[in-house]
Amino acid sequence: MSTASQPTDPTRFILIGTSHPGNVGATARAMKVMGFSELVLVQPRFADVLIQEETVAMASGAADILVRARVVDTLADALEGVTFAIGTAMTPRDFGPPTITPREGLANLARNHIAVGHKVGFVFGCERHGMSNEDVYRCHAVISIPTNPDYGSLNLSQAVQLLSYEWRMALGGFPVEARTPDADLASGEAVQGMLGHLERALVQLGFLDPAAPKKLMPRLNQLFNRAELRQEDIHILRGIAKAIIERCQR
């Protein structure tokens, strides 16, 4: 089990006034994929949103996040225990917290988290209106996702997925495990044996004139060396050579 799913999880995702149950479920799924577990809802539109059918369906296996999620009345309640709050909104024009970007800003924050032990809260506003200025003022920073200047509209759960990924990578990420075994590369001896077999087949086929072979076989040798043949490749090529010889001898 990853450390991110333990009680030391350094992150809380906070959704303010969420209107669509599907977004709550999809948020839970996005969080779990990246190894985060703490979700808090501030005055969602539907009081029973955590158990609605659409919510559970969109969570797609992350129902445990929904079971542990909390519903609170105010952002102040949701931020209790958070030492660094990040608002997902534009900075108000008059004044407000500094703006950071996901890649560089979260990398810097991760270093501080390791040194200081921050409890980080990502705060998301409602789908239609985002965060109010008063909510933004409670945050230590706001984060700006660099999107297409002509179309920067992100769905709520998409934004959660993007930022949870960037934050997980800033914290060190998860190892990528290969789904296929390491290649069983063919030995030089196996390649030469296959080339000899293939040469006999090409002679039988009339493609190679043994009296004037030119550089066909050396070129094929170089071709197969570049291909870094696996043992199963050798078996296939030998099977082709065998079939050619048998067909030519009929």
Side-chain angles (χ1 to χ4, degrees), residues 162-182:
L162 190 154
L163 293 181
S164 62
Y165 169 80
E166 290 289 351
W167 181 227
R168 173 53 61 199
M169 294 304 294
L171 292 174
F174 291 123
V176 175
E177 298 181 3
R179 293 180 177 270
T180 56
D182 293 337

Side-chain angles (χ1 to χ4, degrees), residues 33-66:
V33 164
M34 290 295 107
F36 300 114
S37 60
E38 190 175 356
L39 174 63
V40 178
L41 308 181
V42 180
Q43 290 190 348
R45 179 181 179 185
F46 302 105
D48 64 345
V49 66
L50 292 171
I51 59 173
Q52 286 195 19
E53 183 177 352
E54 183 181 357
T55 307
V56 176
M58 291 299 292
S60 187
D64 56 316
I65 305 293
L66 300 178

